[in-house]
Amino acid sequence: MTNLAPAEQLKEYIRENQQAFYRLAYSYTKNPDDAMDVVQEAVVKAIASVHKLKKPEFLKTWFYRILVNEALIFLRKAKKSIPEEDMAASAVYEDGDVPQRLDLERAIARLEPKIRTVIVLRFFEDMKLEEISRVTRSNLSTVKSRLYRGLQLLKISVSEE
């Protein structure tokens, strides 16, 4: 992929990872149509500004930064909470433990956006802390403290439910 022009690298990257992008957007919006809109906006912005990408090896973190920013913009504009019955109806569960998974999703949704972003990128997108640091434009120690704080808050929240 490194021999391709940045625009071609981006197209290939988007094609290969569209499900991951959708999954991340959905983790913020909790609505399939809104998640698609967030991904579409991120793709449009990325295509329009791919010429600004100075280091192609950072394509992944560059695109995820755009995607996370679009999701956060969506949340600020929407300022609405997702009814629990909608969350339950639209969720896909692999492990079959629906109530426990719903408790976790509710707890994650209640986290402040900066902490939620770190949790989602680390555990749902399997990103390394250094990558999360680049995506969020935060230093590594900030990412670590947000991760630790988020895990503490999730532990408390899930154990209470």
Side-chain angles (χ1 to χ4, degrees), residues 24-57:
L24 178 61
Y26 186 84
S27 74
Y28 282 90
T29 65
K30 300 297 185 213
N31 177 288
D33 294 331
D34 293 338
M36 290 297 289
D37 289 344
V38 167
V39 171
Q40 184 176 358
E41 281 298 315
V43 168
V44 167
K45 285 188 177 181
I47 290 170
S49 60
V50 71
H51 64 280
K52 296 178 184 176
L53 180 61
K54 293 179 178 117
K55 295 183 179 182
E57 62 268 23

PDB file of all heavy atoms in Angstrom, residues 24-57:
ATOM      1  N   LEU A  24     -17.370   1.925  14.972  1.00  0.00           N
ATOM      2  CA  LEU A  24     -16.953   3.020  15.841  1.00  0.00           C
ATOM      3  C   LEU A  24     -18.004   4.132  15.855  1.00  0.00           C
ATOM      4  O   LEU A  24     -18.393   4.618  16.914  1.00  0.00           O
ATOM      5  CB  LEU A  24     -15.600   3.578  15.404  1.00  0.00           C
ATOM      6  CG  LEU A  24     -15.086   4.766  16.217  1.00  0.00           C
ATOM      7  CD1 LEU A  24     -14.890   4.374  17.684  1.00  0.00           C
ATOM      8  CD2 LEU A  24     -13.808   5.299  15.628  1.00  0.00           C
ATOM      9  N   ALA A  25     -18.478   4.512  14.690  1.00  0.00           N
ATOM     10  CA  ALA A  25     -19.500   5.562  14.612  1.00  0.00           C
ATOM     11  C   ALA A  25     -20.766   5.128  15.348  1.00  0.00           C
ATOM     12  O   ALA A  25     -21.381   5.926  16.064  1.00  0.00           O
ATOM     13  CB  ALA A  25     -19.808   5.903  13.156  1.00  0.00           C
ATOM     14  N   TYR A  26     -21.141   3.881  15.188  1.00  0.00           N
ATOM     15  CA  TYR A  26     -22.339   3.368  15.863  1.00  0.00           C
ATOM     16  C   TYR A  26     -22.172   3.397  17.376  1.00  0.00           C
ATOM     17  O   TYR A  26     -23.117   3.646  18.114  1.00  0.00           O
ATOM     18  CB  TYR A  26     -22.660   1.947  15.388  1.00  0.00           C
ATOM     19  CG  TYR A  26     -23.959   1.433  15.951  1.00  0.00           C
ATOM     20  CD1 TYR A  26     -25.167   1.753  15.344  1.00  0.00           C
ATOM     21  CD2 TYR A  26     -23.983   0.661  17.101  1.00  0.00           C
ATOM     22  CE1 TYR A  26     -26.367   1.303  15.872  1.00  0.00           C
ATOM     23  CE2 TYR A  26     -25.178   0.212  17.643  1.00  0.00           C
ATOM     24  CZ  TYR A  26     -26.362   0.538  17.025  1.00  0.00           C
ATOM     25  OH  TYR A  26     -27.551   0.105  17.547  1.00  0.00           O
ATOM     26  N   SER A  27     -20.947   3.167  17.860  1.00  0.00           N
ATOM     27  CA  SER A  27     -20.725   3.188  19.303  1.00  0.00           C
ATOM     28  C   SER A  27     -20.997   4.573  19.883  1.00  0.00           C
ATOM     29  O   SER A  27     -21.306   4.704  21.065  1.00  0.00           O
ATOM     30  CB  SER A  27     -19.306   2.733  19.653  1.00  0.00           C
ATOM     31  OG  SER A  27     -18.356   3.725  19.347  1.00  0.00           O
ATOM     32  N   TYR A  28     -20.923   5.604  19.059  1.00  0.00           N
ATOM     33  CA  TYR A  28     -21.244   6.961  19.500  1.00  0.00           C
ATOM     34  C   TYR A  28     -22.717   7.288  19.284  1.00  0.00           C
ATOM     35  O   TYR A  28     -23.364   7.855  20.144  1.00  0.00           O
ATOM     36  CB  TYR A  28     -20.411   7.998  18.732  1.00  0.00           C
ATOM     37  CG  TYR A  28     -18.999   8.122  19.216  1.00  0.00           C
ATOM     38  CD1 TYR A  28     -17.996   7.341  18.689  1.00  0.00           C
ATOM     39  CD2 TYR A  28     -18.664   9.030  20.205  1.00  0.00           C
ATOM     40  CE1 TYR A  28     -16.693   7.461  19.132  1.00  0.00           C
ATOM     41  CE2 TYR A  28     -17.374   9.160  20.656  1.00  0.00           C
ATOM     42  CZ  TYR A  28     -16.379   8.367  20.117  1.00  0.00           C
ATOM     43  OH  TYR A  28     -15.102   8.482  20.562  1.00  0.00           O
ATOM     44  N   THR A  29     -23.247   6.956  18.112  1.00  0.00           N
ATOM     45  CA  THR A  29     -24.587   7.412  17.737  1.00  0.00           C
ATOM     46  C   THR A  29     -25.701   6.489  18.211  1.00  0.00           C
ATOM     47  O   THR A  29     -26.827   6.944  18.413  1.00  0.00           O
ATOM     48  CB  THR A  29     -24.714   7.540  16.208  1.00  0.00           C
ATOM     49  OG1 THR A  29     -24.596   6.237  15.615  1.00  0.00           O
ATOM     50  CG2 THR A  29     -23.659   8.476  15.648  1.00  0.00           C
ATOM     51  N   LYS A  30     -25.429   5.204  18.314  1.00  0.00           N
ATOM     52  CA  LYS A  30     -26.428   4.183  18.677  1.00  0.00           C
ATOM     53  C   LYS A  30     -27.595   4.149  17.693  1.00  0.00           C
ATOM     54  O   LYS A  30     -28.683   3.722  18.032  1.00  0.00           O
ATOM     55  CB  LYS A  30     -26.963   4.389  20.098  1.00  0.00           C
ATOM     56  CG  LYS A  30     -25.910   4.333  21.160  1.00  0.00           C
ATOM     57  CD  LYS A  30     -25.261   2.988  21.232  1.00  0.00           C
ATOM     58  CE  LYS A  30     -24.288   2.945  22.388  1.00  0.00           C
ATOM     59  NZ  LYS A  30     -23.144   2.120  22.128  1.00  0.00           N
ATOM     60  N   ASN A  31     -27.349   4.591  16.479  1.00  0.00           N
ATOM     61  CA  ASN A  31     -28.384   4.594  15.447  1.00  0.00           C
ATOM     62  C   ASN A  31     -27.710   4.267  14.111  1.00  0.00           C
ATOM     63  O   ASN A  31     -26.746   4.930  13.732  1.00  0.00           O
ATOM     64  CB  ASN A  31     -29.044   5.978  15.395  1.00  0.00           C
ATOM     65  CG  ASN A  31     -30.083   6.076  14.304  1.00  0.00           C
ATOM     66  OD1 ASN A  31     -29.751   6.129  13.125  1.00  0.00           O
ATOM     67  ND2 ASN A  31     -31.339   6.124  14.702  1.00  0.00           N
ATOM     68  N   PRO A  32     -28.217   3.254  13.392  1.00  0.00           N
ATOM     69  CA  PRO A  32     -27.562   2.847  12.143  1.00  0.00           C
ATOM     70  C   PRO A  32     -27.467   3.962  11.096  1.00  0.00           C
ATOM     71  O   PRO A  32     -26.414   4.139  10.473  1.00  0.00           O
ATOM     72  CB  PRO A  32     -28.444   1.703  11.623  1.00  0.00           C
ATOM     73  CG  PRO A  32     -29.204   1.226  12.808  1.00  0.00           C
ATOM     74  CD  PRO A  32     -29.355   2.398  13.727  1.00  0.00           C
ATOM     75  N   ASP A  33     -28.537   4.715  10.913  1.00  0.00           N
ATOM     76  CA  ASP A  33     -28.517   5.779   9.904  1.00  0.00           C
ATOM     77  C   ASP A  33     -27.564   6.901  10.287  1.00  0.00           C
ATOM     78  O   ASP A  33     -26.818   7.411   9.453  1.00  0.00           O
ATOM     79  CB  ASP A  33     -29.921   6.341   9.673  1.00  0.00           C
ATOM     80  CG  ASP A  33     -30.855   5.308   9.059  1.00  0.00           C
ATOM     81  OD1 ASP A  33     -30.366   4.414   8.335  1.00  0.00           O
ATOM     82  OD2 ASP A  33     -32.072   5.397   9.312  1.00  0.00           O
ATOM     83  N   ASP A  34     -27.581   7.276  11.564  1.00  0.00           N
ATOM     84  CA  ASP A  34     -26.679   8.328  12.029  1.00  0.00           C
ATOM     85  C   ASP A  34     -25.225   7.882  11.923  1.00  0.00           C
ATOM     86  O   ASP A  34     -24.352   8.672  11.559  1.00  0.00           O
ATOM     87  CB  ASP A  34     -27.004   8.722  13.475  1.00  0.00           C
ATOM     88  CG  ASP A  34     -28.360   9.408  13.598  1.00  0.00           C
ATOM     89  OD1 ASP A  34     -28.859   9.948  12.583  1.00  0.00           O
ATOM     90  OD2 ASP A  34     -28.921   9.400  14.712  1.00  0.00           O
ATOM     91  N   ALA A  35     -24.972   6.616  12.223  1.00  0.00           N
ATOM     92  CA  ALA A  35     -23.608   6.093  12.114  1.00  0.00           C
ATOM     93  C   ALA A  35     -23.123   6.155  10.667  1.00  0.00           C
ATOM     94  O   ALA A  35     -21.981   6.551  10.406  1.00  0.00           O
ATOM     95  CB  ALA A  35     -23.545   4.658  12.636  1.00  0.00           C
ATOM     96  N   MET A  36     -23.995   5.795   9.738  1.00  0.00           N
ATOM     97  CA  MET A  36     -23.633   5.881   8.319  1.00  0.00           C
ATOM     98  C   MET A  36     -23.347   7.326   7.917  1.00  0.00           C
ATOM     99  O   MET A  36     -22.405   7.590   7.166  1.00  0.00           O
ATOM    100  CB  MET A  36     -24.748   5.302   7.440  1.00  0.00           C
ATOM    101  CG  MET A  36     -24.888   3.802   7.543  1.00  0.00           C
ATOM    102  SD  MET A  36     -23.440   2.897   6.996  1.00  0.00           S
ATOM    103  CE  MET A  36     -23.533   3.167   5.253  1.00  0.00           C
ATOM    104  N   ASP A  37     -24.140   8.261   8.422  1.00  0.00           N
ATOM    105  CA  ASP A  37     -23.922   9.679   8.129  1.00  0.00           C
ATOM    106  C   ASP A  37     -22.575  10.147   8.660  1.00  0.00           C
ATOM    107  O   ASP A  37     -21.851  10.883   7.987  1.00  0.00           O
ATOM    108  CB  ASP A  37     -25.039  10.540   8.727  1.00  0.00           C
ATOM    109  CG  ASP A  37     -26.366  10.367   8.010  1.00  0.00           C
ATOM    110  OD1 ASP A  37     -26.377   9.825   6.877  1.00  0.00           O
ATOM    111  OD2 ASP A  37     -27.400  10.779   8.582  1.00  0.00           O
ATOM    112  N   VAL A  38     -22.234   9.734   9.879  1.00  0.00           N
ATOM    113  CA  VAL A  38     -20.955  10.119  10.478  1.00  0.00           C
ATOM    114  C   VAL A  38     -19.799   9.575   9.642  1.00  0.00           C
ATOM    115  O   VAL A  38     -18.841  10.299   9.336  1.00  0.00           O
ATOM    116  CB  VAL A  38     -20.867   9.636  11.946  1.00  0.00           C
ATOM    117  CG1 VAL A  38     -19.444   9.738  12.482  1.00  0.00           C
ATOM    118  CG2 VAL A  38     -21.828  10.426  12.824  1.00  0.00           C
ATOM    119  N   VAL A  39     -19.892   8.307   9.257  1.00  0.00           N
ATOM    120  CA  VAL A  39     -18.830   7.709   8.435  1.00  0.00           C
ATOM    121  C   VAL A  39     -18.731   8.430   7.101  1.00  0.00           C
ATOM    122  O   VAL A  39     -17.637   8.766   6.633  1.00  0.00           O
ATOM    123  CB  VAL A  39     -19.064   6.193   8.231  1.00  0.00           C
ATOM    124  CG1 VAL A  39     -18.082   5.621   7.210  1.00  0.00           C
ATOM    125  CG2 VAL A  39     -18.948   5.451   9.554  1.00  0.00           C
ATOM    126  N   GLN A  40     -19.865   8.697   6.487  1.00  0.00           N
ATOM    127  CA  GLN A  40     -19.868   9.387   5.193  1.00  0.00           C
ATOM    128  C   GLN A  40     -19.233  10.771   5.298  1.00  0.00           C
ATOM    129  O   GLN A  40     -18.431  11.151   4.451  1.00  0.00           O
ATOM    130  CB  GLN A  40     -21.300   9.503   4.672  1.00  0.00           C
ATOM    131  CG  GLN A  40     -21.369  10.127   3.294  1.00  0.00           C
ATOM    132  CD  GLN A  40     -22.788  10.153   2.749  1.00  0.00           C
ATOM    133  OE1 GLN A  40     -23.718   9.679   3.380  1.00  0.00           O
ATOM    134  NE2 GLN A  40     -22.941  10.712   1.574  1.00  0.00           N
ATOM    135  N   GLU A  41     -19.566  11.507   6.336  1.00  0.00           N
ATOM    136  CA  GLU A  41     -18.959  12.835   6.535  1.00  0.00           C
ATOM    137  C   GLU A  41     -17.452  12.717   6.710  1.00  0.00           C
ATOM    138  O   GLU A  41     -16.688  13.527   6.180  1.00  0.00           O
ATOM    139  CB  GLU A  41     -19.579  13.536   7.746  1.00  0.00           C
ATOM    140  CG  GLU A  41     -20.917  14.149   7.469  1.00  0.00           C
ATOM    141  CD  GLU A  41     -20.868  15.238   6.408  1.00  0.00           C
ATOM    142  OE1 GLU A  41     -19.969  16.095   6.445  1.00  0.00           O
ATOM    143  OE2 GLU A  41     -21.737  15.215   5.522  1.00  0.00           O
ATOM    144  N   ALA A  42     -17.024  11.728   7.487  1.00  0.00           N
ATOM    145  CA  ALA A  42     -15.587  11.528   7.710  1.00  0.00           C
ATOM    146  C   ALA A  42     -14.872  11.182   6.411  1.00  0.00           C
ATOM    147  O   ALA A  42     -13.792  11.710   6.127  1.00  0.00           O
ATOM    148  CB  ALA A  42     -15.365  10.433   8.749  1.00  0.00           C
ATOM    149  N   VAL A  43     -15.480  10.326   5.597  1.00  0.00           N
ATOM    150  CA  VAL A  43     -14.878   9.948   4.317  1.00  0.00           C
ATOM    151  C   VAL A  43     -14.776  11.165   3.399  1.00  0.00           C
ATOM    152  O   VAL A  43     -13.738  11.400   2.777  1.00  0.00           O
ATOM    153  CB  VAL A  43     -15.674   8.797   3.651  1.00  0.00           C
ATOM    154  CG1 VAL A  43     -15.256   8.597   2.202  1.00  0.00           C
ATOM    155  CG2 VAL A  43     -15.496   7.508   4.451  1.00  0.00           C
ATOM    156  N   VAL A  44     -15.836  11.942   3.327  1.00  0.00           N
ATOM    157  CA  VAL A  44     -15.832  13.140   2.476  1.00  0.00           C
ATOM    158  C   VAL A  44     -14.732  14.099   2.917  1.00  0.00           C
ATOM    159  O   VAL A  44     -13.958  14.607   2.100  1.00  0.00           O
ATOM    160  CB  VAL A  44     -17.218  13.826   2.486  1.00  0.00           C
ATOM    161  CG1 VAL A  44     -17.155  15.210   1.874  1.00  0.00           C
ATOM    162  CG2 VAL A  44     -18.238  12.963   1.754  1.00  0.00           C
ATOM    163  N   LYS A  45     -14.642  14.338   4.225  1.00  0.00           N
ATOM    164  CA  LYS A  45     -13.605  15.245   4.736  1.00  0.00           C
ATOM    165  C   LYS A  45     -12.211  14.691   4.481  1.00  0.00           C
ATOM    166  O   LYS A  45     -11.291  15.440   4.147  1.00  0.00           O
ATOM    167  CB  LYS A  45     -13.812  15.529   6.213  1.00  0.00           C
ATOM    168  CG  LYS A  45     -14.956  16.475   6.456  1.00  0.00           C
ATOM    169  CD  LYS A  45     -15.041  16.909   7.888  1.00  0.00           C
ATOM    170  CE  LYS A  45     -16.174  17.911   8.028  1.00  0.00           C
ATOM    171  NZ  LYS A  45     -16.325  18.416   9.373  1.00  0.00           N
ATOM    172  N   ALA A  46     -12.043  13.390   4.647  1.00  0.00           N
ATOM    173  CA  ALA A  46     -10.731  12.784   4.424  1.00  0.00           C
ATOM    174  C   ALA A  46     -10.321  12.890   2.955  1.00  0.00           C
ATOM    175  O   ALA A  46      -9.174  13.246   2.646  1.00  0.00           O
ATOM    176  CB  ALA A  46     -10.742  11.324   4.866  1.00  0.00           C
ATOM    177  N   ILE A  47     -11.235  12.612   2.055  1.00  0.00           N
ATOM    178  CA  ILE A  47     -10.928  12.704   0.623  1.00  0.00           C
ATOM    179  C   ILE A  47     -10.571  14.142   0.256  1.00  0.00           C
ATOM    180  O   ILE A  47      -9.620  14.381  -0.492  1.00  0.00           O
ATOM    181  CB  ILE A  47     -12.097  12.172  -0.227  1.00  0.00           C
ATOM    182  CG1 ILE A  47     -12.195  10.646  -0.066  1.00  0.00           C
ATOM    183  CG2 ILE A  47     -11.936  12.554  -1.687  1.00  0.00           C
ATOM    184  CD1 ILE A  47     -13.444  10.023  -0.661  1.00  0.00           C
ATOM    185  N   ALA A  48     -11.319  15.081   0.811  1.00  0.00           N
ATOM    186  CA  ALA A  48     -11.072  16.495   0.497  1.00  0.00           C
ATOM    187  C   ALA A  48      -9.730  16.982   1.032  1.00  0.00           C
ATOM    188  O   ALA A  48      -9.139  17.906   0.467  1.00  0.00           O
ATOM    189  CB  ALA A  48     -12.195  17.356   1.054  1.00  0.00           C
ATOM    190  N   SER A  49      -9.240  16.362   2.105  1.00  0.00           N
ATOM    191  CA  SER A  49      -8.002  16.871   2.696  1.00  0.00           C
ATOM    192  C   SER A  49      -6.853  15.873   2.676  1.00  0.00           C
ATOM    193  O   SER A  49      -5.866  16.069   3.386  1.00  0.00           O
ATOM    194  CB  SER A  49      -8.274  17.328   4.127  1.00  0.00           C
ATOM    195  OG  SER A  49      -8.736  16.263   4.908  1.00  0.00           O
ATOM    196  N   VAL A  50      -6.953  14.832   1.866  1.00  0.00           N
ATOM    197  CA  VAL A  50      -5.887  13.826   1.823  1.00  0.00           C
ATOM    198  C   VAL A  50      -4.550  14.439   1.394  1.00  0.00           C
ATOM    199  O   VAL A  50      -3.488  13.967   1.799  1.00  0.00           O
ATOM    200  CB  VAL A  50      -6.269  12.616   0.933  1.00  0.00           C
ATOM    201  CG1 VAL A  50      -6.275  12.992  -0.548  1.00  0.00           C
ATOM    202  CG2 VAL A  50      -5.346  11.440   1.190  1.00  0.00           C
ATOM    203  N   HIS A  51      -4.599  15.504   0.640  1.00  0.00           N
ATOM    204  CA  HIS A  51      -3.364  16.161   0.212  1.00  0.00           C
ATOM    205  C   HIS A  51      -2.600  16.775   1.392  1.00  0.00           C
ATOM    206  O   HIS A  51      -1.403  17.040   1.287  1.00  0.00           O
ATOM    207  CB  HIS A  51      -3.678  17.245  -0.832  1.00  0.00           C
ATOM    208  CG  HIS A  51      -4.506  18.373  -0.295  1.00  0.00           C
ATOM    209  ND1 HIS A  51      -5.885  18.277  -0.150  1.00  0.00           N
ATOM    210  CD2 HIS A  51      -4.160  19.593   0.154  1.00  0.00           C
ATOM    211  CE1 HIS A  51      -6.345  19.405   0.362  1.00  0.00           C
ATOM    212  NE2 HIS A  51      -5.322  20.231   0.556  1.00  0.00           N
ATOM    213  N   LYS A  52      -3.262  16.952   2.524  1.00  0.00           N
ATOM    214  CA  LYS A  52      -2.618  17.509   3.716  1.00  0.00           C
ATOM    215  C   LYS A  52      -1.887  16.440   4.540  1.00  0.00           C
ATOM    216  O   LYS A  52      -1.142  16.779   5.455  1.00  0.00           O
ATOM    217  CB  LYS A  52      -3.647  18.194   4.611  1.00  0.00           C
ATOM    218  CG  LYS A  52      -4.306  19.400   3.980  1.00  0.00           C
ATOM    219  CD  LYS A  52      -5.342  19.978   4.917  1.00  0.00           C
ATOM    220  CE  LYS A  52      -6.088  21.124   4.271  1.00  0.00           C
ATOM    221  NZ  LYS A  52      -7.153  21.633   5.149  1.00  0.00           N
ATOM    222  N   LEU A  53      -2.124  15.171   4.213  1.00  0.00           N
ATOM    223  CA  LEU A  53      -1.494  14.076   4.938  1.00  0.00           C
ATOM    224  C   LEU A  53      -0.013  14.026   4.572  1.00  0.00           C
ATOM    225  O   LEU A  53       0.348  13.652   3.460  1.00  0.00           O
ATOM    226  CB  LEU A  53      -2.180  12.747   4.621  1.00  0.00           C
ATOM    227  CG  LEU A  53      -1.633  11.499   5.293  1.00  0.00           C
ATOM    228  CD1 LEU A  53      -1.747  11.612   6.816  1.00  0.00           C
ATOM    229  CD2 LEU A  53      -2.380  10.273   4.802  1.00  0.00           C
ATOM    230  N   LYS A  54       0.843  14.408   5.514  1.00  0.00           N
ATOM    231  CA  LYS A  54       2.271  14.508   5.230  1.00  0.00           C
ATOM    232  C   LYS A  54       2.984  13.166   5.334  1.00  0.00           C
ATOM    233  O   LYS A  54       3.933  12.909   4.613  1.00  0.00           O
ATOM    234  CB  LYS A  54       2.916  15.521   6.173  1.00  0.00           C
ATOM    235  CG  LYS A  54       2.424  16.932   5.910  1.00  0.00           C
ATOM    236  CD  LYS A  54       3.049  17.928   6.861  1.00  0.00           C
ATOM    237  CE  LYS A  54       2.562  19.314   6.508  1.00  0.00           C
ATOM    238  NZ  LYS A  54       1.795  19.943   7.544  1.00  0.00           N
ATOM    239  N   LYS A  55       2.528  12.320   6.249  1.00  0.00           N
ATOM    240  CA  LYS A  55       3.174  11.027   6.468  1.00  0.00           C
ATOM    241  C   LYS A  55       2.156   9.908   6.232  1.00  0.00           C
ATOM    242  O   LYS A  55       1.325   9.632   7.101  1.00  0.00           O
ATOM    243  CB  LYS A  55       3.741  10.936   7.877  1.00  0.00           C
ATOM    244  CG  LYS A  55       4.872  11.921   8.122  1.00  0.00           C
ATOM    245  CD  LYS A  55       5.438  11.738   9.512  1.00  0.00           C
ATOM    246  CE  LYS A  55       6.581  12.700   9.732  1.00  0.00           C
ATOM    247  NZ  LYS A  55       7.176  12.507  11.055  1.00  0.00           N
ATOM    248  N   PRO A  56       2.208   9.248   5.087  1.00  0.00           N
ATOM    249  CA  PRO A  56       1.244   8.184   4.782  1.00  0.00           C
ATOM    250  C   PRO A  56       1.204   7.055   5.810  1.00  0.00           C
ATOM    251  O   PRO A  56       0.183   6.390   5.954  1.00  0.00           O
ATOM    252  CB  PRO A  56       1.700   7.662   3.421  1.00  0.00           C
ATOM    253  CG  PRO A  56       2.476   8.777   2.823  1.00  0.00           C
ATOM    254  CD  PRO A  56       3.121   9.492   3.967  1.00  0.00           C
ATOM    255  N   GLU A  57       2.286   6.853   6.560  1.00  0.00           N
ATOM    256  CA  GLU A  57       2.281   5.777   7.559  1.00  0.00           C
ATOM    257  C   GLU A  57       1.314   6.086   8.718  1.00  0.00           C
ATOM    258  O   GLU A  57       0.968   5.199   9.492  1.00  0.00           O
ATOM    259  CB  GLU A  57       3.695   5.502   8.095  1.00  0.00           C
ATOM    260  CG  GLU A  57       4.331   6.661   8.812  1.00  0.00           C
ATOM    261  CD  GLU A  57       5.184   7.562   7.921  1.00  0.00           C
ATOM    262  OE1 GLU A  57       4.982   7.579   6.690  1.00  0.00           O
ATOM    263  OE2 GLU A  57       6.041   8.266   8.467  1.00  0.00           O
TER     264      GLU A  57
END
